[in-house]
Amino acid sequence: MPEAIANKRERTCVGCGEQSGKASLIRIVRLADGSVAYDPTGRVAGRGAYACSAECLRKALKAKKLQRALKTAIQSEDAERIIAEVEKTG
């Protein structure tokens, strides 16, 4: 599939529920080993969830929406690490 078409696909923010293009969202991915990581490229293999901002990411973590979307538990240390990575790059 051409990249221009793939980027037009809309995703829903797990924090606020707003829809936006995949390229403008933050992707968090559950990797094959069960760990959770920030995916700045949007191409890492694994189950992904999207947030429109670090604030929405925090909201989704607090309400356990991100955990539900990724179908895994997220430890507080992992959540803090992911938020720090998002803020560092954003």
Side-chain angles (χ1 to χ4, degrees):
M1 179 182 311
E3 189 171 349
I5 294 172
N7 286 338
K8 291 184 180 187
R9 296 179 61 188
E10 291 201 339
R11 303 288 190 260
T12 302
C13 172
V14 291
C16 66
E18 293 290 320
Q19 290 191 341
S20 189
K22 179 179 174 181
S24 66
L25 296 171
I26 299 164
R27 183 171 188 251
I28 308 301
V29 64
R30 183 191 72 206
L31 303 170
D33 66 1
S35 64
V36 179
Y38 168 50
D39 176 14
T41 65
R43 294 175 180 240
V44 174
R47 183 173 188 87
Y50 297 84
C52 59
S53 66
E55 181 182 335
C56 278
L57 182 57
R58 280 192 193 90
K59 212 182 302 184
L61 283 161
K62 186 175 180 180
K64 304 241 185 249
K65 291 179 178 181
L66 184 61
Q67 292 86 323
R68 264 192 309 275
L70 295 176
K71 298 183 180 183
T72 191
I74 300 174
Q75 303 301 319
S76 59
E77 307 85 44
D78 293 331
E80 291 171 14
R81 175 184 46 82
I82 291 167
I83 289 172
E85 289 174 5
V86 167
E87 290 176 339
K88 182 180 174 184
T89 59

